[in-house]
Amino acid sequence: MTTLQQTRAAIEGVGGTLRPNGTGYQVLEQVQHPQALQLSSLNDERAHAQIFQALQGRVEGVNQENCEAGDENSFFVCDLGEVHRLYAHWRSKLPRVQPFYAVKSNPNRLVLETLAKLNVNFDCASKSEIEMVLSLGVDPSRIIYANPCKASSFIRFAKNQCVTKSTFDNVEELAKIKKYHPHSELLLRIATDDSTAKCRLSTKYGCDMQNVDSLLSKVKELGLNMVGVSFHIGSGASDFSTFYKAVRDSREVFNRASSRFGLPNVKILDIGGGFHLETFDESSASLNVALKEFFPESSDVTIIAEPGRFFAASPFTLACHVIAKRTHTDREAMLYINDGVYGNMNCILFDHQEPTPRVLCHNSNYHYHDAGSTSATETVRCPNKVSIWGPTCDGLDCVTKEYYMKYELSVGDWLYFPVLGAYTSSAATQFNGFEQSVDVIYINSNAL
Amino acid sequence: MELPASNKQLTELYWDSILLTESSFLDPGHLDYPSFQRFVVQEVGNMLTILDKGYKMDSKRAGKSPWRHIGLSYSILYFADWYSSPIWCKNDSTRLQVVLTRNMHNVVRPLLMALLEYAANLNLVMLRLHVSRNVDGIKELLRNLNWLGGRIVSNENRFKALECLTPQEGTMFSDEKYVIIEFEC
């Protein structure tokens, strides 16, 4: 088995779990139910033991009915050790690429601190994200401001905070930058073919190749400082040849900038984000091939990326509590849980995520390690069909329309959702009693 | 912009914009327009009195959803390139609230930019869009929400809200036909 096949096998639950072995990750056998536990994380058995311990500790506190008000709310367990493992994985696969973590994917302060200590830089999309990153003591030169809709006030704010790197893709934006932040270090965002991405971005954001010259001409005319080229293939792409085409197009823009327009400072290639752990081996391999061909190490070009989900998803596990149940038949029910799309599962609505429910606690028995406690399809082991709903009365607040449970869950039972850190708590909203802040229990499985 | 109209006409226009903005939040089941008109006029009057006399604001007001606040500053935005009729907005000292009920397909980004610039010109810190659930282009907006730096805000829980609403308010207005999205300005 090749490493790639081993990784896939582990992720698909037929091999085992992954553990760092110095040069990458090796597959280990003897995991009781790898399918349930892996779900695109680099967690090993020790990490799972710690995650379970944290989940169980909180739930038992609640079930003993001596909890403080709010303790029964949904909560996350965050394994900061996973962040370290992810960073090591990134470095092993893309050693030339400096990550700028997309803060919008999860602005959790401890995750940001951990990443900052690992020398990861930051991609900020709003004033509050910039403020938060700067409050960690991060130098403004380590921030790129990549919001595609920058109002004048945003640009003025960036200037005041000494954040100079930002992207652009239209003439109007250049005019505003000239007026409010003329010494910006600008990266021209080009459009890519993102037709296979789950979240398509280039459809609306990014300059088509046929319009690149007019933008380069405008940069020259306004005397602005263009330092690089940027693209984003969209999130959840399945065709990684897109990377090859986008890197090739970027090379073309580099060439035009220097030869046709005499822009001497174009030295950064920003390959964007959209990296998923489960496809990272494939995407990074495609990327490395393209970089080697169009931007070899001798080219003296700095390569950066804007990964968000890659670092944010797998460190987080969400635990929710069944607060109501409506039974249709013996084998079919609607479960209402104390979290949903207006809380920590916004990702369902606009990030195409399909959280995977697992039974954590049923009738005071724990099933964290039981992969067969739920199934996306009806099986002999999981005959109980449920739809899972959030606590609001809103029809959009649906966590899953159909899932199958081994147990007939009832009010007071707990579910958990692994790999649920990306675009979740960052989007939670405070509205009429739904609390914005969610409890996070931190563990560090690397510290064992 | 100076409008070629008398003060009386401008006053009528302003009242029209108040009523048209607030009618966006009328509950579909509420068909008694005169009672709605009376209620809005009374609320605007109350707010003017509070502002004029410097009275303390009713503490219950703070518990209400922002879209329920009547007697704010009202604007009519006209984007002739995209829409044949105006967009209704209102703002307090921090937040611009905009009701969007028309096709946004292909104009999401420029429309958002225009609204952000307008809100920033008013020195506001938040832009809150109330977008009709069935409008064309809403999926495009939601799909790109993370990318655009927006966040979805839950609709009002009317049952809970009744604690700080009069029965008349509770039945007359609702926000259920909108998806509410908020942006930092």
Side-chain angles (χ1 to χ4, degrees):
Chain A
M1 248 188 189
T2 64
T3 306
L4 183 58
Q5 285 170 327
Q6 286 173 328
T7 308
R8 278 192 185 140
I11 288 166
E12 287 161 6
V14 296
T17 187
L18 295 169
R19 173 174 286 176
N21 64 1
T23 56
Y25 291 82
Q26 65 180 25
V27 180
L28 299 176
E29 302 295 336
Q30 298 171 347
V31 173
Q32 191 185 359
H33 297 293
Q35 201 168 23
L37 304 181
Q38 277 309 308
L39 276 169
S40 313
S41 80
L42 298 176
N43 290 329
D44 55 23
E45 294 126 291
R46 292 180 307 170
H48 280 300
Q50 271 204 311
I51 293 168
F52 173 52
Q53 193 180 10
L55 291 166
Q56 186 183 25
R58 168 61 67 90
V59 169
E60 283 189 346
V62 174
N63 286 353
Q64 286 163 7
E65 296 182 0
N66 56 3
C67 64
E68 299 290 327
D71 277 0
E72 73 280 18
N73 289 347
S74 59
F75 63 95
F76 280 106
V77 172
C78 171
D79 179 7
L80 295 170
E82 173 77 352
V83 179
H84 284 264
R85 289 191 289 274
L86 289 163
Y87 178 70
H89 194 43
W90 177 280
R91 277 287 172 225
S92 72
K93 297 292 176 187
L94 291 173
R96 290 182 62 200
V97 183
Q98 170 64 36
F100 280 62
Y101 173 66
V103 177
K104 60 181 172 287
S105 66
N106 191 328
N108 178 286
R109 193 171 179 88
L110 282 186
V111 170
L112 296 180
E113 277 178 5
T114 304
L115 290 168
K117 284 176 187 162
L118 290 167
N119 284 324
V120 171
N121 294 343
F122 297 94
D123 157 25
C124 296
S126 70
K127 294 178 190 174
S128 51
E129 286 177 15
I130 290 177
E131 279 171 344
M132 181 180 277
V133 171
L134 291 176
S135 75
L136 300 174
V138 171
D139 191 89
S141 65
R142 291 175 61 190
I143 294 174
I144 183 166
Y145 194 16
N147 186 336
C149 273
K150 287 188 277 291
S152 309
S153 59
F154 295 14
I155 298 169
R156 287 197 300 269
F157 178 82
K159 183 184 181 223
N160 292 338
Q161 300 299 324
C162 303
V163 173
T164 54
K165 287 188 197 67
S166 73
T167 56
F168 72 99
D169 65 4
N170 62 75
V171 171
E172 292 78 15
E173 212 169 359
L174 283 177
K176 282 192 279 189
I177 289 166
K178 173 68 181 174
K179 186 172 179 186
Y180 297 113
H181 198 0
H183 301 298
S184 286
E185 297 174 309
L186 298 171
L187 288 91
L188 168 56
R189 188 182 288 278
I190 57 171
T192 59
D193 172 16
D194 61 358
S195 54
T196 68
K198 284 183 180 173
C199 292
R200 298 178 65 182
L201 304 172
S202 287
T203 315
K204 294 294 160 196
Y205 312 115
C207 170
D208 291 327
M209 284 302 283
Q210 63 261 35
N211 297 324
V212 161
D213 281 1
S214 62
L215 273 183
L216 292 175
S217 168
K218 197 70 183 175
V219 168
K220 180 79 177 169
E221 179 193 325
L222 294 174
L224 293 169
N225 181 25
M226 181 172 145
V227 298
V229 178
S230 158
F231 64 80
H232 199 306
I233 67 159
S235 188
S238 53
D239 175 11
F240 297 113
S241 65
T242 307
F243 268 128
Y244 183 87
K245 293 173 202 157
V247 173
R248 185 192 59 199
D249 287 348
S250 301
R251 177 76 261 173
E252 173 66 20
V253 179
F254 269 70
N255 294 343
R256 288 190 208 174
S258 61
S259 60
R260 287 192 201 169
F261 297 94
L263 298 169
N265 299 327
V266 184
K267 294 284 183 190
I268 299 174
L269 173 65
D270 177 358
I271 60 172
F275 298 95
H276 286 222
L277 180 57
E278 61 263 46
T279 55
F280 190 57
D281 280 359
E282 288 169 83
S283 58
S284 56
S286 298
L287 199 46
N288 282 327
V289 168
L291 291 177
K292 193 175 176 185
E293 181 174 345
F294 297 107
F295 295 92
E297 292 198 37
S298 58
S299 66
D300 197 26
V301 168
T302 303
I303 319 281
I304 67 173
E306 300 166 3
R309 185 187 315 276
F310 178 84
F311 286 111
S314 56
F316 287 83
T317 302
L318 178 68
C320 305
H321 180 211
V322 179
I323 55 172
K325 180 179 180 181
R326 182 181 292 174
T327 304
H328 296 313
T329 66
D330 284 353
R331 289 285 168 86
E332 191 171 341
M334 295 168 77
L335 298 179
Y336 292 87
I337 59 175
N338 59 344
D339 210 336
V341 300
Y342 296 114
N344 294 297
M345 296 196 220
N346 253 265
C347 52
I348 296 169
L349 205 57
F350 51 75
D351 196 46
H352 303 271
Q353 288 191 46
E354 295 172 3
T356 303
R358 299 286 187 219
V359 177
L360 175 61
C361 180
H362 168 60
N363 277 347
S364 303
N365 295 315
Y366 289 87
H367 304 278
Y368 177 82
H369 296 285
D370 183 0
S373 68
T374 63
S375 168
T377 55
E378 187 173 9
T379 63
V380 175
R381 290 189 73 192
C382 297
N384 299 297
K385 181 180 175 183
V386 297
S387 57
I388 302 176
W389 298 82
T392 69
C393 306
D394 193 312
L396 284 175
D397 199 2
C398 181
V399 176
T400 179
K401 284 182 180 166
E402 184 175 334
Y403 229 81
Y404 293 85
M405 303 280 155
K406 181 175 177 181
Y407 308 102
E408 199 181 328
L409 297 187
S410 52
V411 173
D413 288 342
W414 286 79
L415 293 170
Y416 75 98
F417 297 84
V419 192
L420 202 73
Y423 301 103
T424 50
S425 55
S426 60
T429 56
Q430 186 167 27
F431 195 80
N432 275 351
F434 296 103
E435 292 178 13
Q436 183 172 27
S437 59
V438 62
D439 252 356
V440 183
I441 299 171
Y442 296 95
I443 61 171
N444 187 345
S445 54
N446 263 15
L448 285 170
Chain B
M1 184 175 73
E2 283 291 316
L3 288 174
S6 67
N7 279 343
K8 188 183 170 196
Q9 285 173 311
L10 285 175
T11 305
E12 280 177 9
L13 175 67
Y14 203 66
W15 271 113
D16 285 346
S17 74
I18 293 171
L19 288 165
L20 284 163
T21 306
E22 298 303 344
S23 69
S24 305
F25 297 103
L26 263 176
D27 188 274
H30 186 89
L31 303 173
D32 181 3
Y33 183 75
S35 72
F36 156 75
Q37 195 173 21
R38 277 196 303 277
F39 182 81
V40 171
V41 170
Q42 185 186 347
E43 286 290 300
V44 172
N46 289 343
M47 177 54 81
L48 290 174
T49 306
I50 287 168
L51 294 174
D52 185 44
K53 307 285 186 191
Y55 292 156
K56 198 175 168 186
M57 206 78 82
D58 182 357
S59 61
K60 280 190 174 177
R61 185 181 172 90
K64 293 181 187 176
S65 305
W67 60 265
R68 284 193 180 272
H69 294 180
I70 295 174
L72 308 179
S73 295
Y74 294 80
S75 316
I76 305 170
L77 297 180
Y78 184 40
F79 298 107
D81 285 348
W82 307 324
Y83 301 123
S84 56
S85 53
I87 288 172
W88 312 106
C89 323
K90 62 180 178 180
N91 69 277
D92 54 18
S93 59
T94 58
R95 183 187 288 115
L96 177 67
Q97 301 186 68
V98 182
V99 179
L100 295 173
T101 57
R102 272 155 287 174
N103 186 349
M104 294 193 297
H105 188 59
N106 288 332
V107 298
V108 165
R109 189 181 180 189
L111 176 62
L112 182 58
M113 281 302 303
L115 294 173
L116 284 170
E117 291 288 3
Y118 179 63
N121 275 340
L122 297 174
N123 288 321
L124 305 176
V125 292
M126 302 304 284
L127 167 66
R128 189 171 278 199
L129 306 181
H130 297 83
V131 189
S132 285
R133 286 175 187 276
N134 53 1
V135 78
D136 280 348
I138 188 169
K139 284 186 179 167
E140 187 183 321
L141 176 61
L142 291 174
R143 269 202 300 271
N144 289 293
L145 205 53
N146 287 321
W147 186 247
L148 295 168
R151 59 175 196 160
I152 197 157
V153 176
S154 178
N155 290 86
E156 179 183 67
N157 179 337
R158 262 218 268 183
F159 183 70
K160 274 193 173 180
L162 284 174
E163 290 167 13
C164 54
L165 299 177
T166 63
Q168 190 183 21
E169 275 178 297
T171 55
M172 191 179 289
F173 300 103
S174 71
D175 67 351
E176 285 150 21
K177 59 189 170 190
Y178 300 116
V179 174
I180 306 172
I181 300 164
E182 192 164 73
F183 296 86
E184 190 182 341
C185 294

